[in-house]
Amino acid sequence: MTTFTAPLRDIRFVLDEVANLGAVSALPGFEDSTGELVDSILGEAGRIAEDVLAPLNRTGDRQGARWSEGRVTTPDGWGDAWKTLIDGGWNGLAFEPEWGGMGLPNTLNVAVGELWHAANMAFGLCPLLTQGAVNALRQFGSDALKAVYLPPMVSGVWTGTMNLTEPQAGSDLAAIRTRAVPMEDGSHRLFGQKIFITYGDHDLTDNIIHLVLARLPDAPEGVKGISLFLVPKRLVNPDGSLGARNDVSCVSLEHKLGIHGSPTAVLAFGEQGGAQGWLVGEPNKGLAQMFVMMNHARQSVGLQGLAIAERAYQQARAYARDRVQGVPAGWQGTSRAAIIHHPDVRRTLMGMKARIEAMRALVYSTAAAHDRRHRHPDAKTRAEAAALEELLTPVTKGWCTETGQDIASLGIQIHGGMGYIEETGAAQHLRDARITTIYEGTTAIQANDLVNRKLLRDGGAALSAYTAEVARNADAMTASDNLHLQTLGRGLADACRSLNDMARWILKQGQHPDLTAGAAGPFLDAFGLVAGGHGLGIGARAALRRLQAGETDDGFLSAKLATAAFYAHHILCRVAAHRVTVIDGTQAIMDVDVDQL
Amino acid sequence: MTTFTAPLRDIRFVLDEVANLGAVSALPGFEDSTGELVDSILGEAGRIAEDVLAPLNRTGDRQGARWSEGRVTTPDGWGDAWKTLIDGGWNGLAFEPEWGGMGLPNTLNVAVGELWHAANMAFGLCPLLTQGAVNALRQFGSDALKAVYLPPMVSGVWTGTMNLTEPQAGSDLAAIRTRAVPMEDGSHRLFGQKIFITYGDHDLTDNIIHLVLARLPDAPEGVKGISLFLVPKRLVNPDGSLGARNDVSCVSLEHKLGIHGSPTAVLAFGEQGGAQGWLVGEPNKGLAQMFVMMNHARQSVGLQGLAIAERAYQQARAYARDRVQGVPAGWQGTSRAAIIHHPDVRRTLMGMKARIEAMRALVYSTAAAHDRRHRHPDAKTRAEAAALEELLTPVTKGWCTETGQDIASLGIQIHGGMGYIEETGAAQHLRDARITTIYEGTTAIQANDLVNRKLLRDGGAALSAYTAEVARNADAMTASDNLHLQTLGRGLADACRSLNDMARWILKQGQHPDLTAGAAGPFLDAFGLVAGGHGLGIGARAALRRLQAGETDDGFLSAKLATAAFYAHHILCRVAAHRVTVIDGTQAIMDVDVDQL
């Protein structure tokens, strides 16, 4: 009932026309990522997603990851699927050949990741976390650690985890208590309990490499006293072979609303004398280092929001094409028709499609900024790309996950009563999606990051640069001779002005952190709506250019233009309401005493 | 972890100040429903909800209703709970003493229903459906049928169901195929399969009375050939005692996303020669008669939206008061605080609270219109109340369920990672809530009912009467000397103008049913936002009047005013976006060909 088709044409369109993969491929080191290679990689990834991962999605949900006597078993077939990914070198797609990777652009890796997550989000978390751990280790690990751990983690022979949360330390990492005691041999012994550890234990690989936040004995209080440690599940001998079990144990797995196939572990470190670990990078700089992993993970979770939306949309669309019910309003003819012809179903599907395309544009553009940031020969371009990536990361994470959830819920709605029956599979997408606005920092945490670190800290400089670009593009769309593009251009110009108004208001409240924090949520959503519309408009402009150049169109290109206009009047128009909320309504948050809540 | 406190003070406030229970109690036949009786009924219902029903909510979810060899077992404790309701006469609260009821106002019954659904939504469906069946039977049943079936159904010794859906006939009831064959004794034999039958089988009572839509042999095609039949699970002897099993069997139960405690049955009629049934009302008028039951059920499902929101809000608020995490922005002091003090959490809780109060005002006002419609001595007042009830029914159902779902999802969000863990209980509220926008007619069906039957059919007369009343009240609020009330008054006046603009646009498109159907969804949401804001404003005005009259306030009354202002800037402002969508954006729904979806 739930099949998945890799949306390669849409992915390729956004890669080429919005994220500008051509320019990314021209960056030093990416010369091999030609159009032909990209085609073959996407084609093969699509095949694996459709044939290997998607069929395991429902099994994974029903069977779940299971814990018994300290051992975790993944659902049937997951071991083979992971082996398929390892054998194809997929885990190392974007890592340096030096560590066994393919050295291809992050932008392309993100497109491949969309396919994994759409096919099987619970499974996709395993490469997601492993790649994040590789990123942190690559950047901060000692040469010795890198030599031992990077090759098997890049290949996926070993997987990685991130260990932040403790029962009393969720969003508030300052409250972390796990202790690390230095030993004479330069290693450390770790003691403490970590919760919500994704793929914290499993049977896919022989070893699991935990990156763990902990405190050294003399560490300062709060976030300035947190260090990062590498703690393997099994110790590694000098020759790289596996040694004894380390003192890390999986105490239990959580019983979750969704992503049942993904083991969410409670890990106990040091119950038998201390878990052996090695400091990664400098002492007391753990949080900043973990943020390298976290920023990767945040973009990847935003990608999951897009991916689960695509999956839910495909299933709803298939059902709407199949299910015959009633005579649609305005229908030519008197016989019953598939519900896709009912105007409200069509409106709902259009709202899903338009936002999916907007999200894809945003996520892939953020990924391309990452590549420019690290590879562009020009320092100024690198700095601009860095500012852009940092600005867009919380928006990608916050907006795409909230939007993805909404779309997964609409996927149920399109099914009517059948959507509520678990066998249909539509409900699983909502259950799976529901975690995305929570893990790797809730939407509120993203909004605060956006307002405090990305807006207030530089006085609005990065935002101004971005909105100036949006406004320029909006004007160009409005100046076009295509009515659809004009519609989006005008809507985008209005929304961009509203966004700037909100930003100015927030900047003015610098002395009132309660107000800037209160305004952050609607500001983030408004930003996402604008950024998504911007990407959609860039794509629509490219579609128009190709049409005007005489390209034959089967409806795909002209749909990009009509979708852009739909987005303006059905989605982007909400920015004006957020402007009212932020500027006129923030004060009202505090007007009701907490006792009266 | 999930406790429930009956929100009696808020309920009483809305009953008195918005729904005007005083005026309802003055209607002929309701003279006994004095303030003292109302207090004691609400107090006792609150106690049952808190002590009897709420503790079974989680058990019901985990254990679920179970099917084995044709028999359905409800979760532990549900039989005793149902007996508590029967023994207290709760099921017959709003029915005539002639049938064993208490003869109290529907408005009061709705307030009691809120408590049942908030405490345990899956359980609350049983009285909901039974009362709906009683309503249909009271109005259309023959004297003979009423004499036999009404007393045990009013008391709840027997329960009732509604049987509409078949595999090929969901929203499209014209496609119903179940057959009814007339017998010589005046009864009928029914043959067919019905699906999604809530409490279609269970072990709470000795008998279940099914109201079933079916076709007579010579019936016209489509909805004009559907008749309504009463089919008991067990036949009833002339003396009222139970006879043999009828030919109705429960083939299976659905495995659903939520409301696990509520058995959703597949029922087979006539597999062994025909299920004996009796025609209710006139042949071929079954759909219109079922709509009596359906309208009751739609208002009741809107009530469920409110109730599940209240439950989710209470749980989220309790967690937010308890969970200490970080130093809130703008916090006076440096130590960590409960997350309820974080501005974004407070904003989220305020958004939940404001919409819950708006929903309660809308639902109770609709209930009061029902009482006026049936009891008011003045025919013109009755007609106005009838028009108002019919206008508000799809809004109550559509808007309160969509809003309730959103609030249940925010309840998870407030919990952070803990919200995703099933043991916490927050996720159950979303899983339970997710059916409310689907059953008894999806939101799209409500929107089409609103636009086609309630707006286009009378050329906008009922809507104009309603918005004129809203505009008058908005002006009175704006003219007040209270800044909060002014804020809502201005917002409401704007939103009401937008709503009228949308209605005029829809009325103009009378010849384009695809456009009116495409506009219906956002129009319904806009209507709900306005109607909720109107009710909130009436309450706030009453709060101001009581404050100005010198009533001592512990913060409750002044919070009503601040909440009204919050609603204006955080919620009601969305109406302007819907105006853009409806007027400028409806055409865009059809601009993308279905092949390009």
Side-chain angles (χ1 to χ4, degrees):
Chain A
M1 216 141 182
T2 66
T3 55
F4 170 67
T5 306
L8 295 183
R9 193 177 184 186
D10 271 294
I11 286 177
R12 195 62 206 257
F13 180 82
V14 174
L15 281 176
D16 290 342
E17 306 294 2
V18 185
N20 205 350
L21 183 63
V24 170
S25 298
L27 294 171
F30 290 153
E31 295 84 356
D32 291 344
S33 50
T34 61
E36 215 167 303
L37 182 72
V38 169
D39 279 342
S40 98
I41 283 178
L42 289 176
E44 181 60 13
R47 200 195 58 72
I48 293 172
E50 292 173 359
D51 299 346
V52 179
L53 302 184
L56 299 177
N57 192 46
R58 179 100 187 97
T59 329
D61 184 59
R62 295 181 79 139
Q63 212 169 31
R66 287 144 296 161
W67 181 97
S68 175
E69 295 178 10
R71 298 174 69 92
V72 174
T73 309
T74 52
D76 292 347
W78 288 36
D80 289 341
W82 184 245
K83 195 164 177 319
T84 302
L85 257 59
I86 297 176
D87 290 349
W90 292 102
N91 196 55
L93 192 90
F95 298 124
E96 297 85 349
E98 157 184 24
W99 305 116
M102 292 193 203
L104 291 168
N106 171 60
T107 311
L108 186 58
N109 193 45
V110 163
V112 169
E114 179 187 331
L115 297 171
W116 299 166
H117 295 305
N120 192 329
M121 192 182 122
F123 184 89
L125 280 163
C126 190
L128 188 163
L129 270 300
T130 302
Q131 290 172 24
V134 167
N135 273 327
L137 206 54
R138 259 161 100 216
Q139 191 161 345
F140 301 108
S142 66
D143 288 346
L145 283 180
K146 288 198 277 193
V148 174
Y149 291 97
L150 275 185
M153 290 176 76
V154 164
S155 69
V157 168
W158 298 346
T159 65
T161 71
M162 56 196 295
N163 289 243
L164 289 79
T165 307
E166 300 177 9
Q168 78 294 346
S171 297
D172 179 13
L173 293 171
I176 281 176
R177 289 186 199 142
T178 295
R179 296 178 301 119
V181 180
M183 306 303 289
E184 291 201 347
D185 66 355
S187 75
H188 291 74
R189 289 289 184 282
L190 275 81
F191 303 88
Q193 195 189 60
K194 294 286 181 178
I195 62 170
F196 297 159
I197 308 309
T198 302
Y199 280 88
D201 201 16
H202 60 75
D203 56 0
L204 300 175
T205 56
D206 293 332
N207 207 2
I208 302 171
I209 310 308
H210 305 293
L211 292 185
V212 186
L213 292 183
R215 291 186 184 282
L216 288 164
D218 51 357
E221 293 266 305
V223 294
K224 291 180 178 163
I226 298 174
S227 303
L228 181 64
F229 296 88
L230 181 153
V231 183
K233 175 180 173 180
R234 288 183 66 180
L235 298 170
V236 182
N237 297 321
D239 66 355
S241 65
L242 291 181
R245 271 294 296 262
N246 200 354
D247 184 8
V248 191
S249 61
C250 175
V251 177
S252 63
L253 294 183
E254 303 292 354
H255 176 223
K256 308 184 299 292
L257 174 62
I259 53 167
H260 294 159
S262 164
T264 303
V266 176
L267 292 184
F269 293 85
E271 290 199 325
Q272 296 174 343
Q276 199 171 4
W278 288 266
L279 184 68
V280 177
E282 292 178 57
N284 300 330
K285 302 282 185 198
L287 199 64
Q289 290 161 190
M290 189 59 107
F291 256 95
V292 166
M293 182 161 182
M294 196 115 79
N295 278 328
H296 171 271
R298 286 178 174 179
Q299 289 180 34
S300 302
V301 173
L303 178 64
Q304 287 189 319
L306 156 65
I308 196 79
E310 169 72 32
R311 179 69 183 261
Y313 171 65
Q314 285 194 14
Q315 176 163 351
R317 181 180 60 188
Y319 185 83
R321 285 194 172 135
D322 187 56
R323 171 77 170 164
V324 172
Q325 202 69 177
V327 181
W331 185 239
Q332 304 301 319
T334 54
S335 65
R336 294 185 179 80
I339 62 170
I340 199 168
H341 298 290
H342 284 265
D344 192 82
V345 172
R346 217 159 137 174
R347 177 182 70 82
T348 306
L349 287 170
M350 274 302 299
M352 296 163 86
K353 171 186 165 72
R355 286 182 291 167
I356 287 167
E357 295 185 5
M359 284 193 279
R360 189 175 285 120
L362 171 58
V363 174
Y364 287 24
S365 300
T366 309
H370 180 91
D371 281 323
R372 287 201 303 283
R373 171 188 198 164
H374 291 286
R375 296 291 185 122
H376 202 280
D378 175 51
K380 183 162 168 286
T381 304
R382 285 200 304 275
E384 286 168 359
L388 182 66
E389 184 189 10
E390 304 222 330
L391 182 68
L392 294 183
T393 296
V395 180
T396 296
K397 203 291 186 177
W399 186 68
C400 295
T401 58
E402 294 283 350
T403 304
Q405 242 165 56
D406 188 49
I407 289 173
S409 188
L410 291 172
I412 295 179
Q413 192 68 20
I414 297 271
H415 286 78
M418 288 306 295
Y420 202 61
I421 307 300
E422 285 287 4
E423 282 78 0
T424 311
Q428 185 193 340
H429 304 317
L430 175 61
R431 289 190 288 97
D432 287 352
R434 192 61 194 81
I435 188 58
T436 59
T437 58
I438 296 173
Y439 62 15
E440 308 305 340
T442 63
T443 307
I445 295 287
Q446 306 306 320
N448 271 310
D449 178 54
L450 176 63
V451 161
N452 289 321
R453 293 204 194 84
K454 312 298 164 68
L455 178 66
L456 289 169
R457 192 173 285 177
D458 75 358
L463 179 93
S464 294
Y466 181 71
T467 54
E469 170 78 5
V470 174
R472 261 194 307 278
N473 282 320
D475 288 346
M477 295 172 208
T478 307
S480 135
D481 54 6
N482 179 281
L483 288 174
H484 290 315
L485 206 49
Q486 288 174 21
T487 297
L488 182 62
R490 280 193 304 270
L492 201 51
D494 277 355
C496 196
R497 267 191 297 275
S498 289
L499 191 68
N500 278 325
D501 290 346
M502 286 180 247
R504 264 191 298 274
W505 184 89
I506 291 170
L507 285 163
K508 263 193 219 158
Q509 318 301 322
Q511 298 311 304
H512 302 281
D514 53 338
L515 294 180
T516 61
F523 179 69
L524 179 139
D525 192 54
F527 198 147
L529 292 166
V530 168
H534 182 228
L536 210 60
I538 290 173
R541 225 167 66 188
L544 180 63
R545 202 164 48 231
R546 283 162 59 169
L547 284 170
Q548 289 175 339
E551 190 170 321
T552 313
D553 183 33
D554 59 357
F556 179 82
L557 293 175
S558 52
K560 296 290 171 218
L561 287 154
T563 302
F566 179 95
Y567 186 91
H569 285 146
H570 287 252
I571 314 289
L572 192 56
C573 57
R574 299 175 196 168
V575 173
H578 286 319
R579 185 188 180 284
V580 171
T581 299
V582 165
I583 296 178
D584 301 329
T586 299
Q587 184 66 54
I589 298 168
M590 300 298 177
D591 280 352
V592 173
D593 195 86
V594 289
D595 294 341
Q596 290 300 325
L597 284 174
Chain B
M1 216 142 179
T2 66
T3 55
F4 170 66
T5 306
L8 296 183
R9 192 178 184 185
D10 271 294
I11 286 178
R12 195 62 207 255
F13 180 82
V14 173
L15 281 176
D16 290 341
E17 306 294 1
V18 185
N20 204 351
L21 183 62
V24 170
S25 298
L27 293 171
F30 290 153
E31 296 84 354
D32 292 344
S33 51
T34 60
E36 215 168 300
L37 182 73
V38 168
D39 278 343
S40 99
I41 283 178
L42 290 176
E44 180 60 13
R47 199 195 58 72
I48 293 172
E50 292 173 358
D51 298 347
V52 178
L53 302 183
L56 300 176
N57 192 45
R58 180 99 186 97
T59 329
D61 184 60
R62 296 180 78 139
Q63 213 171 29
R66 287 145 295 159
W67 181 97
S68 175
E69 296 178 10
R71 297 174 69 91
V72 175
T73 309
T74 52
D76 292 347
W78 288 36
D80 289 341
W82 183 246
K83 195 165 177 317
T84 302
L85 258 60
I86 297 177
D87 290 349
W90 292 101
N91 196 55
L93 192 89
F95 297 125
E96 296 84 349
E98 161 184 19
W99 304 116
M102 291 192 203
L104 291 169
N106 172 60
T107 311
L108 186 58
N109 192 44
V110 163
V112 169
E114 179 187 331
L115 297 171
W116 299 166
H117 296 305
N120 192 329
M121 192 182 121
F123 183 89
L125 281 163
C126 191
L128 188 164
L129 269 300
T130 302
Q131 291 171 23
V134 167
N135 273 326
L137 205 54
R138 258 161 100 216
Q139 192 162 345
F140 301 109
S142 66
D143 288 346
L145 283 179
K146 288 199 277 193
V148 173
Y149 292 96
L150 275 185
M153 291 177 74
V154 164
S155 69
V157 168
W158 298 347
T159 65
T161 71
M162 55 197 293
N163 288 245
L164 290 79
T165 308
E166 300 176 9
Q168 78 295 345
S171 296
D172 178 13
L173 293 171
I176 281 176
R177 289 186 200 142
T178 295
R179 296 179 301 119
V181 180
M183 305 303 287
E184 292 201 348
D185 67 354
S187 74
H188 291 75
R189 290 288 184 283
L190 274 80
F191 302 88
Q193 195 188 61
K194 294 287 181 178
I195 62 170
F196 297 160
I197 309 308
T198 301
Y199 281 88
D201 200 18
H202 60 75
D203 57 0
L204 300 175
T205 56
D206 293 332
N207 207 2
I208 302 171
I209 311 307
H210 305 294
L211 292 185
V212 186
L213 291 183
R215 289 185 185 283
L216 287 164
D218 52 355
E221 292 267 303
V223 294
K224 290 180 178 162
I226 297 174
S227 304
L228 182 63
F229 296 88
L230 181 153
V231 182
K233 175 180 173 179
R234 288 183 66 181
L235 298 171
V236 182
N237 297 319
D239 67 354
S241 65
L242 291 181
R245 269 296 296 262
N246 200 352
D247 184 8
V248 191
S249 61
C250 176
V251 177
S252 63
L253 294 183
E254 304 291 354
H255 176 222
K256 308 184 299 292
L257 174 62
I259 53 166
H260 293 160
S262 164
T264 302
V266 177
L267 293 185
F269 292 85
E271 291 199 326
Q272 297 174 341
Q276 199 172 4
W278 287 266
L279 184 68
V280 176
E282 292 179 56
N284 300 330
K285 301 284 184 197
L287 199 64
Q289 291 161 189
M290 189 59 109
F291 256 97
V292 167
M293 182 161 182
M294 195 115 80
N295 277 328
H296 171 271
R298 286 178 175 180
Q299 289 180 34
S300 302
V301 173
L303 177 65
Q304 287 190 319
L306 156 64
I308 197 78
E310 169 72 31
R311 180 68 184 262
Y313 171 65
Q314 285 195 15
Q315 177 163 350
R317 180 181 60 188
Y319 186 82
R321 285 194 171 133
D322 186 57
R323 172 76 170 166
V324 172
Q325 201 69 178
V327 180
W331 186 239
Q332 305 301 319
T334 54
S335 66
R336 292 186 182 80
I339 61 169
I340 200 168
H341 298 290
H342 285 266
D344 192 81
V345 173
R346 218 159 135 173
R347 178 182 69 81
T348 306
L349 287 171
M350 274 301 298
M352 297 163 86
K353 172 187 166 71
R355 286 183 291 167
I356 287 168
E357 295 184 5
M359 284 192 279
R360 189 175 285 122
L362 171 58
V363 175
Y364 287 25
S365 300
T366 308
H370 180 91
D371 281 322
R372 285 201 305 283
R373 170 188 199 162
H374 291 284
R375 297 288 185 124
H376 203 280
D378 176 50
K380 182 161 170 287
T381 305
R382 284 200 304 274
E384 285 168 0
L388 182 65
E389 184 189 10
E390 303 223 332
L391 182 70
L392 294 183
T393 296
V395 181
T396 296
K397 203 287 184 179
W399 186 68
C400 295
T401 58
E402 294 283 347
T403 304
Q405 240 164 58
D406 188 50
I407 289 173
S409 188
L410 290 172
I412 295 179
Q413 192 67 20
I414 296 271
H415 286 78
M418 287 306 293
Y420 202 61
I421 308 301
E422 285 287 3
E423 282 79 359
T424 310
Q428 185 193 340
H429 303 318
L430 176 61
R431 289 190 289 97
D432 286 351
R434 192 61 194 80
I435 188 58
T436 59
T437 59
I438 296 173
Y439 62 14
E440 309 304 341
T442 63
T443 307
I445 295 287
Q446 306 306 319
N448 270 309
D449 177 54
L450 175 64
V451 161
N452 289 319
R453 293 205 193 84
K454 312 298 164 67
L455 179 66
L456 290 168
R457 191 172 286 177
D458 75 357
L463 180 94
S464 292
Y466 180 72
T467 54
E469 169 78 6
V470 174
R472 260 194 307 278
N473 281 320
D475 288 348
M477 295 172 208
T478 308
S480 132
D481 54 5
N482 180 280
L483 288 174
H484 290 315
L485 206 50
Q486 288 174 22
T487 297
L488 182 62
R490 280 192 303 270
L492 200 52
D494 277 354
C496 195
R497 267 191 296 275
S498 290
L499 191 68
N500 278 326
D501 291 346
M502 286 180 247
R504 265 192 298 273
W505 184 90
I506 291 171
L507 284 164
K508 263 194 219 158
Q509 318 302 320
Q511 297 311 305
H512 302 282
D514 53 336
L515 294 180
T516 60
F523 179 69
L524 179 139
D525 193 53
F527 198 146
L529 292 166
V530 168
H534 181 229
L536 210 59
I538 290 173
R541 225 167 65 186
L544 180 63
R545 203 165 46 231
R546 283 161 60 170
L547 284 169
Q548 289 176 338
E551 190 170 321
T552 314
D553 183 35
D554 59 357
F556 179 82
L557 293 174
S558 53
K560 297 290 170 218
L561 287 154
T563 302
F566 179 95
Y567 186 90
H569 286 145
H570 286 253
I571 314 288
L572 191 56
C573 57
R574 298 175 196 168
V575 174
H578 286 319
R579 186 188 179 285
V580 171
T581 300
V582 166
I583 295 178
D584 301 330
T586 299
Q587 184 66 55
I589 297 169
M590 300 299 176
D591 281 351
V592 172
D593 195 86
V594 289
D595 294 341
Q596 291 299 325
L597 283 174

